Structure formats: structure tokens, C-alpha cells
Amino acid sequence: ATSSGGNCNALNQSANGTLTFTPGVTTQVVRLIINNCGVAAGETLAFNLSGAVNATIVRPSTTVTIEPAPAVTSISPTSGPTTGGTTVTITGTNFTGATKVAFGAVAATSFTVVSATEITAVSPAQAAGPHNVFVTTPGGTSAAVAGDVFTYTAPSPTVTSISPTSGPTTGGPTVTITGTNFTGATKV
């Protein structure tokens, strides 16, 4: 294999044909010289590359752009209701061309790539608890880090009415409480 640009001097080809390299700050372009691999011009040859990158060779001796995987460094806000609908700003690197944003395993309701370092996404409905936020681009999917945790919280209960509204001081009558978000109530 031959290479040019970026940190491509770190490009190696092992005996089994697996390519590995250390991704740099910018997209790296490498020229792969493939001989006697049984792939005709115009056929697709896919490579799995280590270092959280992906590439597809369209034909032997072609130039391939290797894109670093995205990385999430922080999110704001860091929590919202289990019903979803929270607009979250995601900060990191290599967001250009993002194809998916997910809160845990659930895709964001919507998202907008603001720049290579910022995405805004709307949280989907999700179970209560912490969930990592992942960004996927052609370069791969971001790894889970401490700064990408979005915590879903159950909404607080709300009482809208009670019946009856009065009773004896000695207690006794059953009171019906009407409202929302009573599931999991531990005390009245």
C-alpha cells in the first residue's frame, strides 16, 4: 500500500491484508495499490479498517477518503422527561455528514447538523435513566463517553381534583384523587 497526506505515514498493511492506521485531526486520503485480489474494475471491495474508520474501494488503485469517526464531548441540557421532546445541543468533532443521532438505542426524533462540531437533536421518548447519545457519520459511530450521558426523568405527578373535598376529622371516607403521572407512586 502507498499513502499520501495527513498522518498516512502511520499506514500499515499486515500479512493478512488488514489495513490499520492512526486517524489524524483531518480526513486522510490514501491510495491503495491492490494487485491480484480478484476484483475487476467497477466492482466494490469493502475494507474494515481499525481506528474507528470505514472505507469502500470502488476499484483497485483508486483514491479513498478515510473519515475519522465522530466524537461527542458534551451535551446540553443533560436531562429531560421520559416523554421526549427536549432540544439537546451536542458538541464534539467530525459531525459533517451525520446520518443518525441516537439516545441509547432509540433514534432522535429529529436532528440538524449545525457545523462539524455541533448538532441539535430532539430527544425521543425513552425509559427513565441514563442513556448515551451517539452520532453516526460515514466515518462510524461515536464511542460512549461520560460527557454524552442524557438522563431521562419521570415527570412529576400532578393532582387535578379530589373527591370528596371534605370529611370528618376522624377520617374514614375513601378519597379519589385524579391527575397525571401517578404510575410508581410511593406515597400519598
Side-chain angles (χ1 to χ4, degrees):
T2 61
S3 63
S4 62
N7 289 331
C8 293
N9 57 350
L11 180 69
N12 296 304
Q13 183 172 8
S14 65
N16 65 6
T18 300
L19 296 173
T20 60
F21 83 107
T22 303
V25 176
T26 61
T27 300
Q28 299 181 29
V29 178
V30 294
R31 180 170 294 278
L32 302 176
I33 307 302
I34 304 169
N35 296 315
N36 302 320
C37 65
V39 177
E43 290 184 322
T44 298
L45 176 62
F47 283 88
N48 293 320
L49 302 178
S50 63
V53 296
N54 298 305
T56 300
I57 310 305
V58 176
R59 61 182 175 79
S61 299
T62 190
T63 299
V64 179
T65 299
I66 299 176
E67 301 172 333
V72 175
T73 54
S74 66
I75 61 170
S76 180
T78 58
S79 65
T82 55
T83 53
T86 303
T87 298
V88 178
T89 299
I90 305 165
T91 304
T93 58
N94 305 317
F95 291 163
T96 302
T99 57
K100 182 178 179 181
V101 173
F103 290 70
V106 181
T109 302
S110 64
F111 71 92
T112 301
V113 178
V114 177
S115 69
T117 59
E118 183 179 319
I119 291 175
T120 57
V122 177
S123 65
Q126 181 77 289
H131 298 273
N132 295 92
V133 176
F134 298 103
V135 174
T136 300
T137 69
T141 299
S142 59
V145 296
D148 73 9
V149 178
F150 185 82
T151 302
Y152 281 88
T153 56
S156 300
T158 304
V159 175
T160 56
S161 67
I162 59 171
S163 178
T165 58
S166 64
T169 57
T170 58
T174 300
V175 177
T176 301
I177 304 169
T178 305
T180 59
N181 304 315
F182 292 163
T183 303
T186 58
K187 186 176 181 181
V188 175

